[in-house]
């Protein structure tokens, strides 16, 4: 097939990057389907990671779960629940894979830098340069209750702590000089004098004095990912991250606006505007025809948003217990309560819930929707559905016009939810020159086409362009 005309698009040679997000706690992964496997069996992690590697995915992502999901102080029993420690599981996968990157979502609010940076460096060395860290900032007091100091941090303080946390981590990763370790038994010492620098970092959040114990990996630092969508989160990513996740990958104009905003922030931070990979989270549903893909999508939505889940989602918007209502009946006649939410995990942060409820009522009445159908139609929108060829053209339009660099894919089934993507979509992208036919190197940084870590650049910018 003819390649895109370079005169028509700004990035005619752009190639997509794919990651897979093993979600863990959620209702989007359909646990009740007969084809669904265990969400906590090590075999499920292995199968997903190896399928992704067969499809030349850049990375396998695993979230951190420090407390079970709750609603009003009770364990929420509608979703998949439970997951292993991310870094421990990824270390096991390092031995079961060869090339794919291994990314841990680990928060900076309740971890400590000297410990987490060492564990991430261990994963990076163990996997020969395939580790990544999705830096998140947990803000809720109910998670903090599991920790000695308890509580939570204000929004601005979370990012201040995260930045100081990264400063300590990078100092630890930079502490061993190139060639520090002797390469011959005839050397005078195992490590040359002065080749391991002591790390002393003193700030409002941390007081660290240590001698790091690990040399750098083949990629020097774990790759830094970030997912904040607020102004503070975007600025943090522009100053610190190699990759940013987003919820801006469904509509082209929205995705392009997000990417343009990030590039402006990169420029303001003194970085090249192509220095940050943009990988929106998405769900991909594939059918042989557009009609089949749409039918499949509707089946998936009904399986994801069960009657009980629909009542729970609506209850978070109304700030009321709706569990005694009929999900296939009308929307609640009551107005939403405006008082502070009681702490339910995942509560909708809506500035004016009455306006949202009014919109839901108007559209439900116009379309004859039940409460459940309204939640499916107007709740969080996820992903793309279509034929392999149609999706390939759509995704390359996004990438070659600068709206995305790829996607972080959330399978709706575990462990087989990537099969259609690897077997049907990837070949279509490769045929169009929009997806690699082999891994770009051996490290995660190479797969993503990234420059050297920010603290290790000899000059202000590098001439290496992303792949």
């Amino acid at each position: 097939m003819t390649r895109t005309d370079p005169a028509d698009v700004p990035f005619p040679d752009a190639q997509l990057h794919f990651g897979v997000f093993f979600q863990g706690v959620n209702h989007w992964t359909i646990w009740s389907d007969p084809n669904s496997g265990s969400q906590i069996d090590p075999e499920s992690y292995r199968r997903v990671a190896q399928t992704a590697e067969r499809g030349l995915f850049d990375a396998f992502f695993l979230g951190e779960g420090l407390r079970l999901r709750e609603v009003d102080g009770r364990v929420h029993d509608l979703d998949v629940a439970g997951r292993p420690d991310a870094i421990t599981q990824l270390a096991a996968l390092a031995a079961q894979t060869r090339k794919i990157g291994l990314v841990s979502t680990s928060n900076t609010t309740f971890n400590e830098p000297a410990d987490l940076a060492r564990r991430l460096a261990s994963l990076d060395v163990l996997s020969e340069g395939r580790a990544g860290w999705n830096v998140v900032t947990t803000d809720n007091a109910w998670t903090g209750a599991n920790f000695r100091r308890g509580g939570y941090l204000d929004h601005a303080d979370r990012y201040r702590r995260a930045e100081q946390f990264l400063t300590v981590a990078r100092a630890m990763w930079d502490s061993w000089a190139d060639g520090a370790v002797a390469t011959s038994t005839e050397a005078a010492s195992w490590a040359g004098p002065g080749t391991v620098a002591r790390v002393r970092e003193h700030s409002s959040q941390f007081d660290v004095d240590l001698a790091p114990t690990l040399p750098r990996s083949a990629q020097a630092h774990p790759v830094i990912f970030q997912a904040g969508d607020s102004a503070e989160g975007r600025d943090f990513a522009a100053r610190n991250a190699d990759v940013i996740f987003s919820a801006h990958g469904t509509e082209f104009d929205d995705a392009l606006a997000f990417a343009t905003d990030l590039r402006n922030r990169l420029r303001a931070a003194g970085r090249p505007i192509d220095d940050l990979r943009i990988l929106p989270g998405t769900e991909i549903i594939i059918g042989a025809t557009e009609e089949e893909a749409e039918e499949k999508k509707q089946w998936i939505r009904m399986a994801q948003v069960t009657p009980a889940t629909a009542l729970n989602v609506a209850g978070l918007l109304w700030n009321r217990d709706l569990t005694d209502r009929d999900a296939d009946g009308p929307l609640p006649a009551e107005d939403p309560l405006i008082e502070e939410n009681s702490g339910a995990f995942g509560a909708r942060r809506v500035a004016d819930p009455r306006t949202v409820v009014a919109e839901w009522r108007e559209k439900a009445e116009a379309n004859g929707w039940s409460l459940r159908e309204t939640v499916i139609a107007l709740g969080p929108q996820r992903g793309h559905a279509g034929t392999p060829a149609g999706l390939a053209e759509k995704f390359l339009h996004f990438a070659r016009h600068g709206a995305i660099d790829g996607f972080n894919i959330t399978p709706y089934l575990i462990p087989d939810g990537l099969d259609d993507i690897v077997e049907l979509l990837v070949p279509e992208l490769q045929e169009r020159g929009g997806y690699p036919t082999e891994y770009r190197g051996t490290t995660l940084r190479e797969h993503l086409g990234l420059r050297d870590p920010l603290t290790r650049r000899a000059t202000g910018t590098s001439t290496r362009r992303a792949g």
Side-chain angles (χ1 to χ4, degrees), residues 152 333 343 452:
Y152 61 95
D452 294 333

Side-chain angles (χ1 to χ4, degrees), residues 112 145 148 177 196-197 202 290 306 350 359 361 429 453 464:
E112 294 296 328
R148 185 170 65 178
V196 180
H202 307 286
E290 294 292 342
T306 64
V350 179
E359 177 188 357
R361 284 174 174 156
L429 291 167
R464 274 196 283 166

